Amino acid sequence: MFERFYLGGPNSIRSFKMRQISPQDETGTRIGGTTEVLGNVEYIVPLPFDLRVAAFFDVGNVYGFKTKFDLTDLREAAGAGVRWVSPFGPVRVDYGFNLDKRPGEKAGNFHFSVGSPF
Protein backbone atom coordinates (compact mmCIF):
# COMPACT_ATOMS: atom_id res chain seq x y z
CA MET A 1 0.00 0.00 0.00
CA PHE A 2 2.85 2.44 0.73
CA GLU A 3 4.38 1.97 -2.71
CA ARG A 4 1.20 2.92 -4.60
CA PHE A 5 0.48 6.26 -6.22
CA TYR A 6 -2.28 8.70 -5.29
CA LEU A 7 -2.90 12.26 -6.48
CA GLY A 8 -4.77 15.21 -5.03
CA GLY A 9 -3.77 17.68 -2.36
CA PRO A 10 -1.64 20.80 -2.08
CA ASN A 11 1.35 19.40 -4.00
CA SER A 12 -0.35 17.68 -6.93
CA ILE A 13 -3.85 18.34 -8.34
CA ARG A 14 -5.20 21.09 -6.12
CA SER A 15 -8.91 20.80 -6.95
CA PHE A 16 -9.02 17.49 -5.04
CA LYS A 17 -8.40 16.62 -1.41
CA MET A 18 -5.35 14.57 -0.50
CA ARG A 19 -5.23 11.10 -2.16
CA GLN A 20 -8.63 11.48 -3.89
CA ILE A 21 -7.40 10.51 -7.36
CA SER A 22 -6.78 6.79 -7.45
CA PRO A 23 -8.14 3.59 -8.96
CA GLN A 24 -10.90 2.04 -6.86
CA ASP A 25 -11.84 -1.53 -6.05
CA GLU A 26 -15.34 -3.04 -6.33
CA THR A 27 -16.43 -1.42 -3.04
CA GLY A 28 -15.29 2.08 -4.05
CA THR A 29 -12.20 2.06 -1.81
CA ARG A 30 -9.25 3.93 -3.27
CA ILE A 31 -6.46 1.38 -3.68
CA GLY A 32 -3.73 3.46 -5.33
CA GLY A 33 -2.12 2.86 -8.66
CA THR A 34 1.09 1.57 -10.17
CA THR A 35 1.64 4.52 -12.54
CA GLU A 36 1.00 8.25 -12.30
CA VAL A 37 1.23 11.19 -14.69
CA LEU A 38 1.48 14.68 -13.17
CA GLY A 39 2.21 18.14 -14.51
CA ASN A 40 2.05 21.51 -12.75
CA VAL A 41 2.54 25.02 -14.09
CA GLU A 42 2.52 28.01 -11.76
CA TYR A 43 2.97 31.72 -12.43
CA ILE A 44 3.94 33.82 -9.40
CA VAL A 45 3.78 37.63 -9.12
CA PRO A 46 5.71 39.22 -6.25
CA LEU A 47 4.00 41.91 -4.14
CA PRO A 48 5.21 44.11 -1.27
CA PHE A 49 5.60 42.75 2.28
CA ASP A 50 6.89 39.34 1.14
CA LEU A 51 3.50 38.48 -0.39
CA ARG A 52 3.02 36.77 -3.75
CA VAL A 53 -0.02 35.82 -5.79
CA ALA A 54 -0.02 32.74 -7.98
CA ALA A 55 -2.08 31.28 -10.80
CA PHE A 56 -1.70 27.58 -11.55
CA PHE A 57 -2.75 24.71 -13.80
CA ASP A 58 -2.46 21.07 -12.70
CA VAL A 59 -3.03 17.96 -14.80
CA GLY A 60 -2.58 14.25 -14.14
CA ASN A 61 -4.07 10.89 -13.26
CA VAL A 62 -3.23 7.59 -11.58
CA TYR A 63 -3.44 4.25 -13.38
CA GLY A 64 -2.95 0.61 -12.52
CA PHE A 65 -4.55 -2.68 -11.62
CA LYS A 66 -7.95 -2.53 -13.43
CA THR A 67 -7.47 1.06 -14.71
CA LYS A 68 -5.96 1.14 -18.20
CA PHE A 69 -3.15 3.67 -18.86
CA ASP A 70 -4.80 6.32 -21.05
CA LEU A 71 -3.30 9.79 -21.52
CA THR A 72 -6.63 11.06 -22.86
CA ASP A 73 -8.17 10.46 -19.41
CA LEU A 74 -6.43 13.19 -17.37
CA ARG A 75 -7.84 15.21 -14.46
CA GLU A 76 -7.39 18.98 -14.76
CA ALA A 77 -7.44 21.84 -12.26
CA ALA A 78 -6.79 25.55 -12.41
CA GLY A 79 -6.77 28.08 -9.63
CA ALA A 80 -5.11 30.85 -7.70
CA GLY A 81 -3.33 31.29 -4.43
CA VAL A 82 -1.47 33.57 -2.09
CA ARG A 83 2.03 32.96 -0.76
CA TRP A 84 3.71 34.66 2.19
CA VAL A 85 7.38 34.28 2.96
CA SER A 86 7.05 34.41 6.74
CA PRO A 87 9.91 34.42 9.26
CA PHE A 88 9.02 30.77 9.99
CA GLY A 89 8.95 29.64 6.35
CA PRO A 90 6.68 29.89 3.32
CA VAL A 91 2.91 29.81 3.84
CA ARG A 92 0.55 28.94 0.95
CA VAL A 93 -3.22 29.19 0.54
CA ASP A 94 -4.63 27.89 -2.77
CA TYR A 95 -8.03 27.27 -4.26
CA GLY A 96 -8.22 24.84 -7.17
CA PHE A 97 -11.20 24.60 -9.52
CA ASN A 98 -12.06 21.17 -10.93
CA LEU A 99 -12.08 21.75 -14.71
CA ASP A 100 -13.56 18.33 -15.59
CA LYS A 101 -16.00 17.79 -12.74
CA ARG A 102 -17.59 14.36 -12.73
CA PRO A 103 -20.77 13.27 -10.91
CA GLY A 104 -20.28 13.22 -7.15
CA GLU A 105 -17.19 15.46 -7.17
CA LYS A 106 -16.85 18.90 -5.63
CA ALA A 107 -16.27 21.98 -7.81
CA GLY A 108 -12.96 22.67 -6.06
CA ASN A 109 -10.98 22.72 -2.81
CA PHE A 110 -8.99 25.03 -0.55
CA HIS A 111 -5.49 24.01 0.51
CA PHE A 112 -3.33 25.49 3.25
CA SER A 113 0.27 24.46 3.64
CA VAL A 114 3.44 25.57 5.37
CA GLY A 115 6.90 24.89 4.00
CA SER A 116 8.31 24.31 0.56
CA PRO A 117 5.89 22.72 -1.92
CA PHE A 118 8.41 20.29 -3.47
Side-chain angles (χ1 to χ4, degrees):
M1 290 298 285
F2 296 105
E3 295 180 1
R4 296 183 184 176
F5 294 106
Y6 298 84
L7 289 177
N11 298 325
S12 63
I13 300 179
R14 290 170 265 194
S15 65
F16 292 90
K17 290 185 178 181
M18 186 72 104
R19 298 171 58 112
Q20 290 292 304
I21 300 175
S22 164
Q24 298 178 0
D25 65 8
E26 302 80 31
T27 64
T29 303
R30 290 177 178 81
I31 58 172
T34 57
T35 306
E36 79 173 23
V37 174
L38 176 63
N40 305 93
V41 176
E42 188 167 283
Y43 185 73
I44 299 174
V45 177
L47 299 173
F49 308 109
D50 290 327
L51 289 174
R52 299 173 181 163
V53 293
F56 59 84
F57 178 76
D58 304 328
V59 63
N61 207 346
V62 178
Y63 309 96
F65 303 106
K66 296 181 181 179
T67 306
K68 181 182 170 191
F69 184 83
D70 181 7
L71 287 177
T72 63
D73 181 28
L74 295 175
R75 307 311 311 269
E76 300 171 346
V82 177
R83 278 88 172 106
W84 175 45
V85 183
S86 78
F88 306 106
V91 177
R92 299 186 307 147
V93 177
D94 290 328
Y95 185 81
F97 295 95
N98 191 350
L99 297 180
D100 60 345
K101 185 176 176 289
R102 297 178 183 173
E105 294 179 346
K106 292 174 62 176
N109 274 297
F110 274 104
H111 291 283
F112 173 81
S113 59
V114 178
S116 297
F118 303 103

